[in-house]
Structure formats: structure tokens, C-alpha cells
Amino acid sequence: MPGTNLTKSEAADRAALIPSAAYDIMWDFTGPGDTFRTTTTVRFGAPEGASTFLDCIGATIARIDLNGASLDPASAATDGRIELSDLAAHNTVIIEAEFAYRTDGQGIHRFVDPEDGEIYLYSQFAAADARAAFPCFDQPDIKATFAIEVLAPAHWVVVSNSPTPEPTLEAMASTSVGDGTVNRWAFAPTVPLPTYVAAVVAGPYAWAEGSLRSRKGPLKARVYGRKNLASHLDAEEMIGTVQAGMTLYEKVFDTEYPYEKYDQVFVPEYNLGAMENVGCVTFSEDQLLFRSRPSDAERERRLNIVLHELSHMWFGNLVTMRWWDDLWLNESFAEFVGTWATEQVTQWKDAWVTFGASRKSVAYIQDQWPTTHAIVTEVADIEATVSAFDMITYAKGASALKQLAAHVGEDAFFQGVAAYLKRHAFGNATLSEFLSEVEAAAGRPLDAWAAAWLETPGVTTLRPVIATDDAGVITSFAVAEDVPAAYPVQRPHRVTIAGYTHHLGRFERTWSVVAPLDGAVSDVPAVVGKPRPDLLLVNDVDRTYAKAHLDDVSLATIAAHLGDLGHAMAQASVLDALWHMCRDAALPAQRYIDAVLTALPGLANSEAAESHTRTMVVALTRYVPPSQVPAVSRSAAESLWATADAAAPGSDVQLQALKAYARVASTADQAARLGALLDGSDSLQGLEIDTDLSWDLLAGMAACGVAGEAEVAARLERDPGAVGRRRAAGTRAVIATPEAKSAAWGALVHPADGPAPNAVQYEIALGLARATDPAQLSFLVPTFLAELREYYAANEGWVGARVVRYVFPTWAAGRVEGLDDSIEGWLADNADAPSVLLKIVREGLDEVRRALAAQAASA
């Protein structure tokens, strides 16, 4: 048996025996130390005489009773499973066990607030970590009811999937936490849920209350967060966005909200942005609770995530995938409808610009890796689910659903969604069952569409093929679709082709044509006879999923006049085309960097500004030839400072430009500007140097070599809480000395007291990989490759995967001779490494080779 790594076939066999279950769970969080106790009663039907197993990892089991008979835990519970044999038609299993709290953001995560010593707990059970908190059938298609009871210190609050009850005093229990008294919280049983969206949150959380109105009537709604951050919960906005989304979704899904309340909880040290636990949605405090001024991009991102998670209550929770193969359908749908809803019900009316500038652009990158996969892909086992949570699953899938809605019409699409939800409510379903409902609503088959868009990996590239006469009139026009060699399949597209004219310091869209594309070269006769434009976009308004390369005339126009382009979608489309041309070694990196710097002062979409200043740093440190990096860095930083200085006081552009300047600054003089802002001897009008911005500036100084441990310690004294400690760990790792970089790697791979909490590891990894000149890090490459497996073995899963991606030495491309050969050698010597780790290393090798090609093109 694979033990802890449940396979798809095992899950299917078990679901055939056990179609549903009921759990009574009692969690006792009152004990001292690093463990908690649980008593779990599982009731389920089965064929008489059959055998099955419960999933249970990391537990010390004291008692197992099956239908009144005692089982020996030593023999029944092995390798993460509790074996159950000779089952009756109706079965009851009772297990008493002790589990460990986690600090990696999975299972029951335990956080101790350094400011006051208070303990905060939250659960994260996706994809398969419910089994780390109670014995269960931990797979999505054995849905169950959950009756949850919790013993907790009396000054705590406890939140779960059902409405929060009034607690009762547990007179016979005591705890070392608080005043020693204990409350019992008994939650009403839920409707059937998959295990991965069951939830418990416990601790001295602060909360703000509101209310919601659904078709079924009024619902209670609260927003929770750590009490030290209670003033930053933004409950009115959080609940107001849910109300707007709920009204919209109940209308288009034609199905009432399926549950009894809606709580939103900001939790510390969270791996994800958020998680759609039924009625108890958890959000990353680190990413989405704003104690300092957020950018407009961050504000929009949070509301988009609120709407994304809300949509899961129907699509994912009410109707759930049978197995992780269809994770894409859950996440692609939420990604699509969350972005659509953001435009419909919030102030952010260019949400599709945001989507294209960020997540969709990342999907293009991942879809070019040698490890790419089709949107619909087999997930063979639980271990492989870590890799399934990527932007192919989320953003490429959402792009496909956007195409589907356009293909069949938005009304027919949502009619199909509504029928699907009604037919499979509180059950499980598959892609084919979803598509059959959309087909019925649209009155057309979707097999060919699904084969082209859902079953074929890779991203294609669209480029114009133009001929003109001497007067500049287009005499022939076609769009070529270049396909990746590994997946030479053209896809059907419906695009808007647009021509922009530059005149008197501005661009005007002078013509546009909606055209179907299908094949290697698609003629578009409707464009013939039009004047050749100064700027031509073959995917204007970003209708389809494909990279776009600009023609020579457009490139020349952009080089001369990009700052005059004022349309948000056109700005984002041009920059995205240039970014991917840079990555494809079809455009020198310096030209992409210059384009970002030119466009930044006038960018109309905040996410476009944030995304492209971030990818500009990648181009600067990875794709510019190493010998040119110092000069290009100095110049880029000066341009960013000029933008920040000239921007409207208090504007989003001012904030974005300063953050980017702190990231790019590379000289002592440039660092001195950051120091002057930090100590108050200089200022930018309208911009407060608040707590988090102060850390950004200090990290910029550390990267330049003018701030070290003393400055980090002094800043930490002014911000001594959990966030400050996390930021301090990351800033220490930025310090531009070999000793600091070695210490950062040592803190990850050889921690003195066991692995650091997940959020701290992420900060250290990001700081370690940051350098004004990546050559400063080259000495670490042999150590990194030698100790990579050791690190991952101690942090396998979400944390290990993310940290390895952050620190992987793509930054050494062009600086360490034979780097690609060394990585190839590692792959050959470590063929037995975990599949997730091998995948990340293969992707890293591909990025190294891409960087070498881009450096050659930019030389």
C-alpha cells in the first residue's frame, strides 16, 4: 500500500464501498504542549464483510472501537491508515487520538503571538490534511455531515462551519491558558461536505459583526482577526462585498446560498490567499489584512479573492469534484466568475485587465515549462495535488471558461451552470457532467472545443502577417499561430484585431475587426483595405489565451511613444507582449525594461504597474547580460525615482514607483535616498512612510550594503509583533554579505530548533535570493544543490515547494559556468527524489536555459 499517499484508484475503490459518512468530532485544545486530543466517531454504511481504511497521519492512537469491538491500535493503525475489516451494513468507529499542532500552514496550525503570548489556531485541510486532525475518509467524493464539539480556554472564541453557538462552562475541565476555565462549544451538524472544507478556528480572535440577506432570509456574518490587528479588519467592506456577490450569484446560479452563515477569518502564517471552508472562509493575514496603506492592486486583489471564495460555496462545496483531476473545474470557475463579478459589483471595472496582467501572464510562463499539462490532467495521487495548484489550473482554465461563455453566449453558459448545480446539489460531479448541462443550454456540442482547450497542453503565439502597398494600405492580412514543438496543435480563437494611430501625442483606436482564427495561418479579409496602423494588436481586449508578438512597425511606435498610450487594456496588452517577447529571446531585455519605465507614470491599472515592475526586476537580474546589470540597474532606479518624485502626491503611481525604486536601487547614493525617507530628513509629498513601507525601504538599503543587523534590530524594536519579526527575518536575509546569505540558507536547511514557521521561511527565501547583482550569490550554488534534498525532506509539501522555487539558482545563469549541466547532473543523480521536487528542478533548469538565451539576445 502507498500508505500516506492515497492514489486515485484506491480512492475510487473506497468510494464505491463507502458512498457517505457522518462524523462526530470532539477537539480538546486545552492541554499543554504541542499536541491536542480528539475523539472521533465515524458512522457509515458498507457491504457486509467488506474491508476499508480510515486515513490518519501523525497521531498517537489510544483507542479504536469498531462496532463495539476493541481493535489494537498497534496492529490496526499503520502507515497513516486505520484498517477496518469484516464490516457490517451499518458501522460505528470510535477513535481516541492525540495529534500534533503544525507550523507549516496545514492540519491544525498553531501560532503563538510574540507580543502577548496568546495562541491562535486554524485548520487547513485541503488537499488531504483533515487526516492530520481527525481520522476520516479523506477524499472529496465521500461527503459527510460534521457534528463538531470543541473544548477551549474560556476567553477564546471558536468558529466552524455551522452557526456559532453560545458556549457552556465545562466545570470538570481546566487549562493552563488564560484564567484556567474551559468552555465547550457544540456546533449543530452540517449538511454533507467534503472533508477538505470542514473547518475549525479557535483563539482569542477579535471580531466585527454584520448581516447578510440571501434568498433564504437573513444570515449572520462576522469578520475575525487577531486581537492585535482588530482595527484593520475592514469588516464593512468585506461583508458588503459578500452581500453584493451573494445577490449576483443567487441570481445567475438560480440557487440560494446553501449554508447557514458566512464568516471570514484573517489567520496568520497562511500558505494560500484564502480557502473556501463552508461558512468559515479563511484569509491570509500576511497578504490580505492591511495594517499599512495598500496599493490599489492589493485592494482590488482582496475583493476579487472575496468573490472567488464566495463562488466556491456553490461551485466546489455544494457540488464537488469526484477527485483532484477536476480541481481545475473548481478553481477555474471561481477564477472566472470571481473576476467577472469583480467588474459587475465592485469599483474595479477593469478586472479583466488585472487578470491578464497578473495571473494569466504567469500561466503563459508555466504553460511553456517542460512540466506543463493540459487543463484537464490526471492527478494520480495525493502527492501530485501540490503541483495541481498552479496558474494553468486557475488562470488558463479561467481563460478557457471565458472563451466557453463567449462561444455559447453568457446566458446559455449560466443556464448550464444553474442546471448543473441543481442536478448535483450536495453531491459530486465531473467535467463531462458539467459540459453536458452547458451543451443542453446552448444547444450545441462542445466536444471539439473541450479537446482543443482543455485537453491540449502548451500556449501558442499569435503574430500578424501583413502586406501593404506604397500608400500604406493593407493589401493582405493574416494571423499566424505558432505552436510549441512538443504540442503542435492549433486552437480555435475568436479575437478582436485593432489598429491604433498615434497623432498629436495620443493614441486612438481607428479600427477593429472581430475575427475567428483556426489553423496555422488565418486570413482576415475584413482588415484588407484599412490603413496600416502605427500600433497593431492581434488580441485587443484580451479575448483569447495566447501570447502575442508585435510586428516591427508596432515595436518602433511603442519605443517612441508608449507613454502616450492611455487605454488600460491596450497598455497591459502591449507590456505583456513585450514581456513574453523578452522571455522568448525575441526582444532585448533592455527594451522591455525601458518600456515599463516609460509606461509606468501613465498606467491606468494598478496591477499592471505592480506586475510589470516585478517582472522588470526579473528581466534586469536574469535576462540582461551580467556585465551590463550594474549600469542598467542604476539607470532604471533613477527613472523610478523620477517617477515617484513627479507623481501626484499620495497617488497609487507614487507608491508603486517608490516600492519599485526600493527594489531596484543598487548604489550607495540611491540607498541614501531611502535612508532619508526612512529617518524623515526627506519626504515625498502626500506619501506616509508607514510601518510596512519602512521595511521595504530598509530592505532596499540592506541590498545596497548600507544597512545591516543593527538597523534591522532597531526597526524590529519599533515593530516587535509577528509581522515585524517576519519582515525582520526576510530583511536579514537580504543583507549583502556572504555571511548573511550563508546564514539565511543555514536558517532554512539547518535550523537550530526545527523548521521555522511557513511564513518566516518564505520571507527568508525571498530575501536570500535578492541581490543587486546576483553574482554575489554565486558561491552558494554548490551548497544549494548539495543540500536541496535535505531541505525538502524536512519541509515536504506546500512549504518546501514554495521555498525551493524562491531560492532556485536561476539568478546564477550566466554567472556560474556550466550551471545547466550541474542541474542536469543533479536530476540524473536524484531520479528517486519526490515527484514535486523533481518537477520544480526541471522547471528551474528550463528557466536557466531561457535566461541564457535571453542574455545572448540582449548582449
Side-chain angles (χ1 to χ4, degrees), residues 659 661-667 670-672 674-675 693-707 727 731 734 736 770 772:
K659 286 185 173 182
Y661 175 79
R663 187 63 180 79
V664 174
S666 61
T667 69
Q670 290 170 346
L674 298 173
L693 188 54
S694 295
W695 282 110
D696 292 337
L697 304 186
L698 182 60
M701 296 168 64
C704 292
V706 300
R727 295 298 304 266
T731 306
V734 174
R770 178 175 173 179
T772 58

Side-chain angles (χ1 to χ4, degrees), residues 45-240:
E48 291 192 27
S51 298
T52 190
F53 59 91
L54 290 164
D55 302 299
C56 182
I57 61 172
T60 301
I61 300 176
R63 172 193 174 199
I64 306 173
D65 285 355
L66 171 60
N67 297 330
S70 180
L71 304 182
D72 179 11
S75 58
T78 58
D79 201 19
R81 297 181 176 186
I82 299 173
E83 300 294 336
L84 306 173
S85 59
D86 195 21
L87 295 174
H90 303 284
N91 302 277
T92 300
V93 184
I94 302 172
I95 306 103
E96 294 178 0
E98 191 168 332
F99 290 85
Y101 292 114
R102 305 270 287 267
T103 59
D104 63 351
Q106 296 298 119
I108 302 292
H109 184 95
R110 182 173 183 260
F111 169 83
V112 181
D113 193 318
E115 288 188 87
D116 55 21
E118 291 280 19
I119 296 169
Y120 293 86
L121 308 178
Y122 66 83
S123 64
Q124 174 59 34
F125 293 155
D129 278 310
R131 58 187 176 157
F134 63 99
C136 57
F137 302 115
D138 205 358
Q139 60 188 75
D141 60 343
I142 302 181
K143 283 189 160 181
T145 59
F146 291 80
I148 291 171
E149 293 192 8
V150 176
L151 295 180
H155 72 293
W156 286 16
V157 296
V158 180
V159 187
S160 187
N161 306 104
S162 295
T164 303
E166 287 297 320
T168 58
L169 183 66
E170 191 75 3
M172 302 300 293
S174 64
T175 178
S176 60
V177 178
D179 64 4
T181 57
V182 173
N183 278 342
R184 179 181 293 269
W185 302 71
F187 293 85
T190 68
V191 295
L193 309 175
T195 51
Y196 73 90
V197 295
V200 65
V201 175
Y205 286 89
W207 50 271
E209 190 159 26
S211 63
L212 297 166
R213 179 162 290 277
S214 81
R215 284 186 177 183
K216 66 172 60 176
L219 302 171
K220 287 188 176 180
R222 290 178 177 176
V223 179
Y224 294 83
R226 285 194 296 124
K227 63 182 181 180
N228 291 336
L229 298 169
S231 61
H232 304 295
L233 295 180
D234 294 337
E236 183 176 350
E237 180 180 74
M238 297 288 288
I239 294 172

Side-chain angles (χ1 to χ4, degrees), residues 313-534:
M313 298 300 141
W314 288 267
F315 214 99
N317 295 355
L318 177 64
V319 181
T320 306
M321 61 198 169
R322 292 194 186 279
W323 179 247
W324 299 101
D325 291 356
D326 280 329
L327 170 68
W328 83 271
L329 188 55
N330 278 15
E331 296 301 343
S332 298
F333 183 85
E335 188 87 359
F336 164 71
V337 82
T339 304
W340 175 80
T342 300
E343 284 197 342
Q344 297 288 318
V345 302
T346 77
Q347 72 188 81
W348 309 105
K349 300 305 180 185
D350 58 356
W352 286 115
V353 179
T354 297
F355 171 77
S358 54
R359 294 164 78 84
K360 185 178 182 182
S361 189
V362 174
Y364 291 156
I365 293 173
Q366 295 179 354
D367 215 5
Q368 292 176 274
W369 285 340
T371 57
T372 187
H373 57 84
I375 295 173
V376 176
T377 189
E378 182 168 357
V379 177
D381 50 41
I382 287 298
E383 180 185 324
T385 60
V386 173
S387 297
F389 286 86
D390 62 13
M391 281 303 118
I392 297 172
T393 294
Y394 282 72
K396 183 179 182 180
S399 298
L401 290 179
K402 186 182 179 186
Q403 283 270 337
L404 177 60
H407 181 62
V408 302
E410 198 170 273
D411 290 344
F413 175 79
F414 281 117
Q415 286 171 17
V417 169
Y420 170 79
L421 294 172
K422 292 172 183 176
R423 185 179 301 275
H424 301 286
F426 300 107
N428 297 84
T430 63
L431 168 65
S432 63
E433 290 165 318
F434 171 69
L435 288 180
S436 70
E437 299 295 347
V438 179
E439 283 181 332
R444 67 173 76 176
L446 295 174
D447 300 33
W449 176 88
W453 281 104
L454 304 182
E455 299 169 12
T456 305
V459 58
T460 61
T461 302
L462 303 180
R463 56 182 174 82
V465 181
I466 315 169
T468 61
D469 61 19
D470 292 342
V473 176
I474 296 172
T475 56
S476 70
F477 186 91
V479 177
E481 182 178 30
D482 299 328
V483 299
Y487 306 102
V489 177
Q490 266 84 28
R491 294 191 176 100
H493 303 268
R494 187 171 178 82
V495 299
T496 297
I497 302 165
Y500 290 79
T501 300
H502 183 263
H503 182 63
L504 297 177
R506 61 189 295 269
F507 281 90
E508 180 181 353
R509 188 165 76 163
T510 50
W511 57 262
S512 65
V513 170
V514 177
L517 308 178
D518 196 358
V521 179
S522 299
D523 291 323
V524 186
V527 175
V528 174
K530 299 184 182 299
R532 178 165 188 156
D534 298 317

Side-chain angles (χ1 to χ4, degrees), residues 29 217 222 247 292 370 544 550 560 574 838:
F29 297 135
R222 290 178 177 176
T247 300
S292 298
T544 196
L550 300 181
V574 166
L838 290 173

Side-chain angles (χ1 to χ4, degrees), residues 10 38 46 95 206 251 258 290 349 355 432 457 575 650 742 792 824 857:
E10 287 181 310
T38 181
I95 306 103
K251 177 182 176 183
F290 306 136
K349 300 305 180 185
F355 171 77
S432 63
L575 288 177
S742 295
Y792 191 78
E824 274 208 2

